[in-house]
Amino acid sequence: MAETEYKPVEIALDDTPELPDVHLDVLGMKLDLPNLNSAELPLEVVQAVLLVKSKTVLDDTTAFQATSVFLAYFEHERPNFWEKLKATDRPIAWINATVKAWAEQSGIDPKALS
């Protein structure tokens, strides 16, 4: 029986300059977030960014899906911010405003989030 041959997988290194992080002050909490256009984007938010970038204007279902991804990101990756959100009267409004500001500061068209 012949030995299986495996093809090595390689990635092309991107020479694009690194995009600056986004810095927001939300509810008195300083957030340092990755640029949503960056090649270094955390896998946790890739799905949401692809959803947002694929639409001119988000329909309710797509907006809900994107919001769900950002909720999970903040809950697991930014637990201090998550706790601060839970203590507010309008956590979803704060999430939406934070994501919109994050997208705007990353250079993503804010109309895509409306």
Side-chain angles (χ1 to χ4, degrees):
M1 188 158 133
E3 188 173 322
T4 304
E5 190 172 322
Y6 293 87
K7 168 84 172 123
V9 175
E10 298 177 15
I11 62 168
L13 296 178
D14 191 357
D15 291 337
T16 321
E18 196 171 307
L19 295 171
D21 285 345
V22 170
H23 308 287
L24 302 176
D25 184 339
V26 185
L27 296 167
M29 179 166 270
K30 307 276 192 251
L31 294 175
D32 299 311
L33 301 166
N35 190 302
L36 294 175
N37 280 314
S38 172
E40 305 298 320
L41 190 63
L43 288 176
E44 295 85 1
V45 295
V46 168
Q47 179 184 8
V49 172
L50 292 176
L51 284 169
V52 169
K53 285 184 169 187
S54 71
K55 306 281 185 175
T56 306
V57 175
L58 299 182
D59 58 37
D60 288 342
T61 301
T62 307
F64 177 77
Q65 291 170 335
T67 300
S68 297
V69 171
F70 284 112
L71 280 169
Y73 173 77
F74 287 126
E75 181 179 12
H76 296 285
E77 301 301 318
R78 307 294 174 151
N80 292 342
F81 182 56
W82 181 254
E83 290 303 317
K84 183 81 112 171
L85 287 169
K86 286 176 29 178
T88 70
D89 291 336
R90 303 187 63 206
I92 296 301
W94 282 107
I95 284 282
N96 288 338
T98 301
V99 170
K100 185 173 183 176
W102 188 3
E104 287 171 353
Q105 294 300 308
S106 294
I108 294 176
D109 185 0
K111 290 181 283 191
L113 298 169
S114 303

